[in-house]
């Protein structure tokens, strides 16, 4: 992936798509997240334990999905200041899969200089278990 | 269950507080695991080193709902989180999270009624600077 450069407000176009991000949701990386966030629940770090509780496998913590969307924004615009990010967890995102994160510019407020983004994470089936919005400035 | 009564009784006041020291290792691990690559979030030597914006979502109070709230927390699921950033969270900050119920409302879908509870945590640092607001939407299906 080419290294992103800082952006200015005038660089941004309505409908612009953020470069796709392929996050690492391997069990090893989710364990790193879980340790850092003090969220060592077995449903996040053990496929076996998660299946015992009726899940299809270990699941990515919702707030890690939100963090992936934050990284998506910074990978597009390293200098982005995120004022608000709101995510909806529609379905579990499964550990050791290959999701992709996407975003698009949905509003540009010329007065406040605030930019709004729609964000999503898709799973391998093309479903969107995580959707969100963000308000940023540059 | 009368939603207005619930709102009147439980919204708008702090029911729990938690104190936490922000550790550098936690900030870096959290950011790196999410795929963050910007030095100000992953390099403690960066002059503007700080937490990624959604870092405070990892902090939970000592209880999810107020005492005597007539809903079992274990019957709720996490429908989403909203983070509003007011100021950066820094390594070494001694922060306090203050929990309140911000809103209670219901929606009716094809599968029946759903009760939404918005658990809000406001975070402040050692100088009482307001750092962030996290709204955690809890949902209980088939309530009555």
């Amino acid at each position: 992936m080419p290294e992103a450069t800082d952006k200015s407000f005038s660089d941004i176009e309505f409908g612009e798509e953020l470069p796709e991000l392929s996050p690492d949701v391997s069990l090893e990386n989710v364990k790193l997240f879980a340790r850092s966030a003090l969220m060592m629940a077995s449903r996040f770090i053990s496929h076996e334990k998660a299946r015992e509780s009726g899940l299809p496998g270990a699941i990515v913590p919702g707030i890690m999905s939100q963090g992936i969307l934050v990284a998506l924004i910074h990978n597009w615009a390293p200098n982005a200041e995120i004022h608000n990010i709101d995510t909806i967890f529609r379905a579990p995102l499964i550990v050791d899969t290959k999701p992709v994160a996407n975003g698009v510019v949905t509003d540009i407020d010329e007065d406040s200089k605030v930019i709004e983004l729609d964000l999503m994470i898709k799973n391998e089936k093309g479903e969107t278990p995580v959707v969100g919005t963000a308000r940023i400035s540059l | 269950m009368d939603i207005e009564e619930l709102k009147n009784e439980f919204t708008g006041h702090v029911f729990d507080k938690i104190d936490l020291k922000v550790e550098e290792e936690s900030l870096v691990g959290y950011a790196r695991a999410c795929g963050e690559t910007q030095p100000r979030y992953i390099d403690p030597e960066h002059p503007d080193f700080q937490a990624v914006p959604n870092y405070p979502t990892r902090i939970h109070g000592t209880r999810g709902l107020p005492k005597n709230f007539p809903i079992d927390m274990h019957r709720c699921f996490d429908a989403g989180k909203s983070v509003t950033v007011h100021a950066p969270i820094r390594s070494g900050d001694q922060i306090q999270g203050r929990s309140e119920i911000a809103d209670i409302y219901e929606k009716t879908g094809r599968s029946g009624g759903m009760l939404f509870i918005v658990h809000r945590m406001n975070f402040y640092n050692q100088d009482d600077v307001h750092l962030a607001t996290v709204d955690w939407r809890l949902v209980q299906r088939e309530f009555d």
Side-chain angles (χ1 to χ4, degrees), chain A residues 5-26:
Chain A
T5 54
D6 288 353
K7 290 184 165 47
S8 64
F9 183 78
S10 59
D11 293 335
I12 308 304
E13 294 186 19
F14 178 79
E16 179 176 343
E17 293 187 2
L18 282 59
E20 189 171 277
L21 180 70
S22 298
D24 179 358
V25 296
S26 64

Side-chain angles (χ1 to χ4, degrees), chain A residues 22-93:
Chain A
S22 298
D24 179 358
V25 296
S26 64
L27 192 59
E28 182 183 5
N29 197 47
V30 171
K31 284 180 177 175
L32 168 63
F33 179 86
R35 280 195 301 274
S36 302
L38 298 179
M39 295 178 67
M40 294 296 279
S42 57
R43 66 183 181 279
F44 301 133
I45 59 171
S46 166
H47 285 301
E48 185 184 356
K49 295 284 185 187
R51 289 185 188 117
E52 284 174 10
S53 63
L55 292 164
I59 61 174
V60 178
I63 63 170
M64 182 174 175
S65 296
Q66 189 178 59
I68 288 166
L69 294 174
V70 168
L72 172 76
I73 295 169
H74 288 145
N75 284 358
W76 165 66
N79 58 324
E81 295 291 342
I82 298 174
H83 302 300
N84 174 267
I85 181 164
D86 190 355
T87 49
I88 298 171
F89 310 131
R90 299 162 71 176
L93 184 62

Side-chain angles (χ1 to χ4, degrees), chain A residues 92-120:
Chain A
L93 184 62
I94 306 302
V95 171
D96 283 329
T97 59
K98 302 285 184 190
V100 291
N102 299 94
V104 62
V105 175
T106 55
D107 193 39
I108 301 173
D109 189 318
E110 296 287 345
D111 295 327
S112 65
K113 307 294 185 199
V114 169
I115 296 159
E116 292 191 10
L117 308 171
D118 273 4
L119 308 163
M120 70 183 75

Side-chain angles (χ1 to χ4, degrees), chain A residues 4 6 21 23-24 29-30 32-33 35-39 62-71 74-75 77-90, chain B residues 20 25-38 40-41 48 50 52-55 57-60 77-86 133 135 137:
Chain A
D6 288 353
L21 180 70
D24 179 358
N29 197 47
V30 171
L32 168 63
F33 179 86
R35 280 195 301 274
S36 302
L38 298 179
M39 295 178 67
I63 63 170
M64 182 174 175
S65 296
Q66 189 178 59
I68 288 166
L69 294 174
V70 168
H74 288 145
N75 284 358
N79 58 324
E81 295 291 342
I82 298 174
H83 302 300
N84 174 267
I85 181 164
D86 190 355
T87 49
I88 298 171
F89 310 131
R90 299 162 71 176
Chain B
L20 177 113
E25 185 181 0
S26 172
L27 296 184
V28 173
Y30 188 105
R32 282 193 180 280
C34 291
E36 186 62 66
T37 59
Q38 299 310 312
R40 64 175 159 154
Y41 302 112
D48 194 27
Q50 60 184 273
V52 290
N54 80 318
Y55 180 82
T57 57
R58 59 150 287 230
I59 302 165
H60 295 271
F77 65 89
D78 183 353
K81 284 191 174 68
S82 169
V83 185
T84 301
V85 178
H86 306 299
T133 302
D135 280 351
R137 291 183 295 275

Side-chain angles (χ1 to χ4, degrees), chain B residues 52-129:
Chain B
V52 290
N54 80 318
Y55 180 82
T57 57
R58 59 150 287 230
I59 302 165
H60 295 271
T62 62
R63 52 185 310 128
L65 291 169
K67 196 175 177 183
N68 300 325
F69 195 83
I71 296 287
D72 181 358
M73 182 76 186
H74 295 101
R75 292 184 61 200
C76 296
F77 65 89
D78 183 353
K81 284 191 174 68
S82 169
V83 185
T84 301
V85 178
H86 306 299
I89 295 174
R90 309 282 186 183
S91 176
D93 274 354
Q94 187 71 44
I95 63 176
Q96 183 174 75
R98 303 171 191 166
S99 298
E100 61 183 277
I101 300 300
D103 199 8
I104 301 168
Y105 56 95
E106 60 184 314
K107 287 185 176 180
T108 304
R110 280 175 293 186
S111 58
M114 293 190 292
L115 182 71
F116 286 73
I117 305 156
V118 181
H119 174 147
R120 175 168 294 165
M121 283 188 86
N122 281 300
F123 293 91
Y124 300 82
N125 69 9
Q126 60 281 358
D127 299 318
D128 211 31
V129 173

